[in-house]
Amino acid sequence: MKKFDYILILDFGSQYTQLIARKLRESSVYCEIHPFHQDIENLISGNSSVNLRGIILSGGPASVLGKDSPALSEKNLNFIKSRGIPVLGLCYGFHLLAKNFGGVIHKAKHREYGHTIIKVSGSSKLYPGIKKDLKVWMSHGDSIDRLPENFCVTAKSKNGIISSFENPKMKLYGLQYHPEVHHTECGKKILDNFAFRICEVKNLFEAKSFIDTKIKEIREKAGKSTVICALSGGVDSSVAAMLMKKAIGNKLVCIHIDNGLMRKNESESVVKLFRKNFKFNLKFVDASDIFLKRLKKVIDPEQKRKIIGRTFIEIFEKEAKKIEGVKYLVQGTLYPDVIESVSFKGPSVTIKSHHNVGGLPEKMNLKLIEPLRELFKDEVRIIGKKLGLPDYFINRHPFPGPGLAVRILSDITKDKTSLLKDVDDIFIKGLKDFGLYNKIWQAFAVLLPVQSVGVMGDERSYENAIALRAVTSVDGMTADFYQFEKEFLTYISNKIINSVKGVNRVVYDISSKPPATIEWE
C-alpha cells in the first residue's frame, strides 16, 4: 500500500500553527500537528502509512530566553541531528534552532510586529521564484545576535535584523517571519519550496490512497463487531458512514433521528439517499414531538442547545440498546476538532461540546472510530465525492447541530418551525436557480422575535419579520456578507412574502464576522 510522504509540525503554541498545515495540505502534502514535546521517533515508528520527510517547528508566544519556555527534548534534538531530516523553524522555532545549535539570542532593541520588508540575499533553496524585496508578517521581541557555526544569513529586515538563515549541509532552515499567514507575500511558495525542493516530497496525499488505507485500518480495528453511527445527514457524518459502509458493509448500523428542527423534507431525503440508493442498514426515528415538547417556552439559546443535546443522547442510547453486539461508535470528528482539543502543552481534558455526539462514548461504554480525524473539511468533501456521494450533497452549506432552534430567536413551536422551513427552502432554491449557491459559504433564514405592520391587498397585516443571511468565507473563521444584486433580493423577498403565510417583511443581514458571528445565536 502506497505511503504518504509526511511533514511533522511541532506546535509551540502559535495562533497560526493550524495555518501551516492548511497551506501544506492545499499542495496535497500530508502533515500533522503534534505538541512540541511529542516523541518523534515513537510517533513515526507507530505509523506505517507515512514516510517522515521534514519537520516544522512552529512559532509561539514565549521567549527562548525565558526560564520555563518550551524546548526540544534531548531525544528529539538528537533525532534531528542524527537523521538528517530537513527542519524549518518559524519565529519561535527560528530562535530555538539557533539556540540549540550554538547561536546567541538577545532581547531585540527593535521589535518587529506586523508588515516588514526583508531583503533576500544569496541562493537559498527556500527562495527560488521569490522576489528579493519581500513584504512579510513579523511578530517577535527577540533577535539573533550571533548565528551558530556554519550557518549563513539568507535575508535581513530593513532594521538589519536577521530574518532567515540556513545550514544546507545539516538541512536546517529558519524564518523569523510567518510564511503561513496571508499577510506574507509568497508565503505559500516558500512553504512549497521547503516541502518539494528541500524535503523532496513526492508521494502526495491522494483520496484513493487515503480510502484504501482507512478501509484496512477500520477492518483491523472493528473486526466482526457491529458498529453504530449517528447519521445526521451532514457532510461529516455522511462521509464517515460511507467510508465505514465500504469497509464493513451491513455490520454498520446507522441511526437517523428527526428532531423536527432540520431543513424542509431533510429526513425524507436522508433516508431515501442512504437506505434506497446506498442500501444502508438505517434506522429512522421520528422524535420531533419529543424535542418540540421539551423546548416549549425555552428562549435562551444555550438552554436550547443543552436540551437538544441531552434529548439526542437519550434517544440515541435507547435505540442503540436495541442493537446486539455493538462495540464501536462512529464519529465524524475532523482534524480542526482534534487540534483544538489538544493544548500545545499536552492533552486537554476538554472535549469540544459541538462534536457530533459528544458524551456518547463515556455514557455508553463504546470505543470510538473516527475515520476522518486526519482531514480538513475540503478534504472530506473530496473523499465523499470519491465514495460516490452526489455533488449536490457534498457541496451543501454548513448546518448547525441544534438546527432551526438557533434560527428561531424566540420559543420554539411547530408552527414557527414549519414557517421557517418554508422560508429557508424558498431562499436556498432561489440561490440555486440564480446560480449563486456555490458562490456562498453559508446561507439561511432567521425568524425574528418581532412582528411588524404591513399592507397585504387592501388589509392591514401584523405579521412576522424574516432576516436572510448569506456569507462568503474560506474556513468559517472570518466571513463577509454576500453582495446580492437588487434583482435577486427583490425576487426572493416577493417570493417569500407571497408564498409563506405569516411573513410580511424580509430584511438582509449585512454584518461581517467579526464583529458579528455567522449564526445569530
Side-chain angles (χ1 to χ4, degrees):
M1 190 171 294
K2 179 182 174 181
K3 288 186 175 185
F4 302 128
D5 284 347
Y6 165 58
I7 290 180
L8 168 65
I9 302 166
L10 292 182
D11 181 19
F12 288 86
S14 170
Q15 61 181 313
Y16 303 132
T17 302
Q18 191 176 138
L19 294 178
I20 304 170
R22 289 298 299 119
K23 294 289 185 185
L24 290 170
R25 292 280 188 96
E26 284 172 15
S27 297
S28 298
V29 177
Y30 187 75
C31 55
E32 289 182 0
I33 299 169
H34 288 273
F36 71 90
H37 51 72
Q38 171 69 54
D39 187 311
I40 301 173
E41 193 165 13
N42 284 351
L43 178 70
I44 61 170
S45 63
N47 192 341
S48 60
S49 62
V50 296
N51 291 314
L52 181 63
R53 304 295 299 179
I55 299 168
I56 295 178
L57 311 180
S58 84
S63 164
V64 294
L65 302 174
K67 183 181 177 182
D68 298 317
S69 57
L72 283 168
S73 68
E74 189 175 342
K75 186 177 180 183
N76 279 346
L77 192 56
N78 288 336
F79 179 90
I80 288 170
K81 289 177 177 178
S82 63
R83 295 295 183 95
I85 292 172
V87 179
L88 174 64
L90 306 179
C91 197
Y92 184 85
F94 168 86
H95 295 139
L96 202 59
L97 274 182
K99 180 183 177 184
N100 277 290
F101 285 85
V104 178
I105 316 294
H106 68 279
K107 284 289 179 186
K109 291 180 181 179
H110 297 284
R111 295 183 299 172
E112 295 174 320
Y113 294 99
H115 279 128
T116 304
I117 302 295
I118 66 170
K119 185 170 283 293
V120 176
S121 58
S123 56
S124 170
K125 280 189 176 181
L126 277 178
Y127 290 125
I130 307 297
K131 60 185 183 178
K132 296 298 182 184
D133 293 310
L134 197 64
K135 187 187 288 186
V136 302
W137 188 257
M138 290 285 193
S139 180
H140 69 96
D142 295 339
S143 293
I144 295 175
D145 187 44
R146 188 179 72 245
L147 280 174
E149 189 177 350
N150 298 320
F151 281 59
C152 62
V153 176
T154 53
K156 282 189 175 183
S157 73
K158 60 184 180 182
N159 296 316
I161 295 173
I162 297 172
S163 301
S164 66
F165 64 66
E166 65 178 42
N167 182 329
K169 187 175 180 181
M170 297 182 73
K171 300 180 183 177
L172 301 177
Y173 300 81
L175 303 176
Q176 175 67 86
Y177 56 91
H178 290 276
E180 68 272 26
V181 302
H182 76 272
H183 307 291
T184 293
E185 290 181 318
C186 306
K188 187 175 184 305
K189 173 69 174 170
I190 292 168
L191 288 172
D192 281 351
N193 284 341
F194 176 69
F196 297 115
R197 290 178 176 270
I198 296 170
C199 299
E200 298 182 351
V201 169
K202 293 183 175 66
N203 296 322
L204 300 179
F205 175 84
E206 296 174 354
K208 186 179 185 307
S209 295
F210 176 84
I211 291 168
D212 292 343
T213 300
K214 273 296 156 188
I215 287 173
K216 183 174 181 289
E217 286 179 14
I218 291 165
R219 286 172 178 166
E220 287 175 356
K221 185 170 185 177
K224 296 182 179 180
S225 303
T226 299
V227 179
I228 57 172
C229 173
L231 182 61
S232 67
V235 173
D236 303 341
S237 69
S238 299
V239 175
M242 289 290 287
L243 196 50
M244 293 300 301
K245 175 75 160 58
K246 195 169 179 67
I248 62 172
N250 281 337
K251 281 291 180 182
L252 173 70
V253 181
C254 290
I255 301 172
H256 176 76
I257 299 171
D258 182 0
N259 59 12
L261 303 165
M262 303 169 78
R263 298 178 178 101
K264 186 174 183 178
N265 301 323
E266 175 82 354
S267 286
E268 292 89 334
S269 300
V270 170
V271 171
K272 180 181 178 182
L273 179 65
F274 288 94
R275 186 186 281 171
K276 186 176 179 181
N277 294 16
F278 293 120
K279 311 301 179 186
F280 267 59
N281 185 353
L282 173 63
K283 294 183 177 294
F284 170 66
V285 182
D286 184 357
S288 53
D289 289 343
I290 299 172
F291 280 89
L292 292 176
K293 182 180 179 181
R294 294 185 181 181
L295 288 167
K296 190 176 181 181
K297 296 183 179 179
V298 177
I299 296 174
D300 179 70
E302 192 57 32
Q303 195 178 351
K304 289 177 184 176
R305 289 188 183 92
K306 287 178 179 177
I307 290 169
I308 292 166
R310 284 197 302 267
T311 304
F312 177 84
I313 290 171
E314 178 187 316
I315 294 168
F316 187 85
E317 182 180 19
K318 181 181 176 183
E319 293 301 319
K321 284 180 177 177
K322 298 175 184 177
I323 304 166
E324 293 183 4
V326 177
K327 291 185 180 179
Y328 292 94
L329 170 72
V330 179
Q331 193 160 292
T333 308
L334 302 191
Y335 198 45
D337 299 329
V338 176
I339 296 168
E340 290 172 21
S341 294
V342 179
S343 160
F344 83 98
K345 292 182 179 179
S348 169
V349 295
T350 304
I351 303 300
K352 285 167 66 79
S353 61
H354 67 252
H355 279 185
N356 292 351
V357 281
L360 284 177
E362 294 84 357
K363 190 175 179 67
M364 299 175 63
N365 196 30
L366 295 176
K367 295 176 183 177
L368 269 184
I369 296 180
E370 299 171 301
L372 309 178
R373 65 179 282 116
E374 299 95 344
L375 304 182
F376 287 95
K377 189 79 171 189
D378 53 334
E379 294 167 328
V380 171
R381 294 187 196 277
I382 293 168
I383 298 298
K385 190 170 183 178
K386 203 78 176 174
L387 289 167
L389 280 168
D391 284 349
Y392 78 85
F393 194 89
I394 284 294
N395 296 321
R396 299 168 88 198
H397 292 176
F399 189 72
L404 300 182
V406 292
R407 293 178 179 174
I408 296 172
L409 309 189
S410 59
D411 62 319
I412 313 296
T413 67
K414 194 167 187 177
D415 286 344
K416 288 179 183 178
T417 58
S418 178
L419 181 148
L420 188 55
K421 285 180 183 183
D422 288 341
V423 171
D424 191 72
D425 189 55
I426 291 169
F427 186 29
I428 298 304
K429 282 181 178 175
L431 292 174
K432 291 177 179 177
D433 290 343
F434 276 70
L436 299 171
Y437 186 81
N438 291 328
K439 297 178 181 179
I440 293 169
W441 167 268
Q442 189 173 7
F444 55 91
V446 178
L447 178 58
L448 301 178
V450 295
Q451 291 184 314
S452 66
V453 176
V455 178
M456 304 184 79
D458 293 324
E459 296 181 356
R460 171 189 170 100
S461 67
Y462 193 69
E463 293 182 338
N464 295 290
I466 289 288
L468 301 181
R469 181 82 158 131
V471 298
T472 56
S473 180
V474 174
D475 52 15
M477 299 300 291
T478 60
D480 198 6
F481 66 90
Y482 187 81
Q483 298 199 25
F484 288 114
E485 298 289 336
K486 184 177 183 295
E487 179 192 5
F488 175 78
L489 289 174
T490 301
Y491 164 81
I492 209 70
S493 174
N494 288 337
K495 181 80 171 176
I496 289 169
I497 291 170
N498 291 334
S499 303
V500 183
K501 187 177 180 181
V503 177
N504 70 351
R505 190 176 298 271
V506 175
V507 299
Y508 183 53
D509 181 349
I510 58 168
S511 16
S512 298
K513 176 186 177 181
T517 54
I518 295 177
E519 295 283 348
W520 279 46
E521 286 190 344

